[in-house]
Amino acid sequence: SYVLTQPPSVSVAPGQTARITCGGDNIGEKSVQWYQQKPGQAPVLVVYDDSDRPSGIPERISGSTSGNTATLAITWVESGDEADYFCQVWDSASGHYVFGSGTKVTVL
Amino acid sequence: QVQLRESGPGLVKPSQTLSLTCTVSGGSISSGGYYWSWIRQHPGKGLEWIGYIYSTGNTYYNPSLKSRIIVSVDTSKNQFFLRLTSVTAADTAVYYCARRGVDSPHFAYWGQGTLVTVSS
């Protein structure tokens, strides 16, 4: 089955850029979504179709894909960005949605 | 703005059936255009898609759970349902209902989630 690989954690200083990677075989050929989840809350969609943002999501959050890696970037990081971030794709070969294991972003 | 809300027992005994309801407001399930989904999250873990249903009743399930899942819909009540049979402790999780568009594989709207614990 299709596997998405994320680093368990990323630490970043306020005002810097956090980059969260999501690795998968030829992920560049799939539509990648990213979700932000804060403790005790439901996930929130922050990026869809690789790089589009839902309304209300700041431009500081952006997505990109290339080859076997998708990346979520958060510029000008602030304390409110501390959360778990999950990537997600639809795997047509197995016929189901696949989520990455999640990356915890810590603001130093 | 569409809203989803899960409801159901928070405790289920092993080997029994887990039953949850998702009530939708701010939008009609019968209007079509969306898949209504169930997703779960084991404590401290990642997300696992369970399955979804269309307004017509057509369903699509995670192959790894397919033998134990039934997802159904009642458009007159604007609700859809999850039944998971023969539960074990491994089914303890927060269960979310969510909506995705027919033409877009992303979950734009989620319920707040409900914790279901499987224990005797």
Side-chain angles (χ1 to χ4, degrees):
Chain A
S1 61
Y2 195 80
V3 176
L4 294 174
T5 302
Q6 295 184 240
S9 62
V10 166
S11 298
V12 59
Q16 299 301 303
T17 297
R19 290 184 175 82
I20 305 157
T21 58
C22 176
D25 190 32
N26 292 320
I27 195 173
E29 299 177 1
K30 301 182 184 297
S31 172
V32 181
Q33 281 60 243
W34 291 92
Y35 302 87
Q36 175 194 72
Q37 186 179 35
K38 296 183 178 180
Q41 297 184 19
V44 173
L45 179 71
V46 293
V47 166
Y48 65 97
D49 289 346
D50 300 340
S51 58
D52 291 333
R53 282 183 304 276
S55 60
I57 301 302
E59 292 183 7
R60 310 185 291 108
I61 296 177
S62 63
S64 62
T65 62
S66 179
N68 294 321
T69 303
T71 302
L72 181 72
I74 308 172
T75 58
W76 297 104
V77 164
E78 51 194 48
S79 60
D81 297 322
E82 278 204 340
D84 292 325
Y85 292 82
F86 297 90
C87 55
Q88 173 249 309
V89 301
W90 165 260
D91 178 38
S92 57
S94 61
H96 66 90
Y97 298 91
V98 179
F99 290 90
S101 53
T103 298
K104 182 177 181 59
V105 170
T106 299
V107 180
L108 300 172
Chain B
Q1 175 92 342
V2 66
Q3 293 185 322
L4 300 90
R5 179 171 50 88
E6 306 87 353
S7 59
L11 181 64
V12 181
K13 289 182 167 52
S15 79
Q16 294 192 342
T17 297
L18 179 161
S19 297
L20 295 176
T21 298
C22 183
T23 301
V24 178
S25 59
S28 173
I29 291 177
S30 61
S31 66
Y34 300 101
Y35 292 122
W36 303 92
S37 304
W38 290 98
I39 296 164
R40 69 182 182 180
Q41 185 171 32
H42 296 101
K45 302 291 186 181
L47 299 158
E48 180 181 31
W49 172 69
I50 298 170
Y52 62 64
I53 191 165
Y54 192 66
S55 57
T56 55
N58 290 344
T59 54
Y60 206 95
Y61 299 147
N62 185 327
S64 67
L65 297 169
K66 186 175 182 178
S67 62
R68 298 195 292 130
I69 299 171
I70 298 175
V71 178
S72 58
V73 64
D74 186 336
T75 55
S76 68
K77 295 183 178 179
N78 223 28
Q79 295 175 325
F80 63 106
F81 312 95
L82 170 68
R83 284 171 53 88
L84 179 64
T85 62
S86 304
V87 297
T88 69
D91 295 308
T92 294
V94 175
Y95 286 77
Y96 295 98
C97 55
R99 188 190 85 170
R100 63 149 282 192
V102 167
D103 297 325
S104 47
H106 57 264
F107 301 99
Y109 294 95
W110 297 65
Q112 84 282 1
T114 187
L115 174 63
V116 178
T117 301
V118 178
S119 175
S120 56

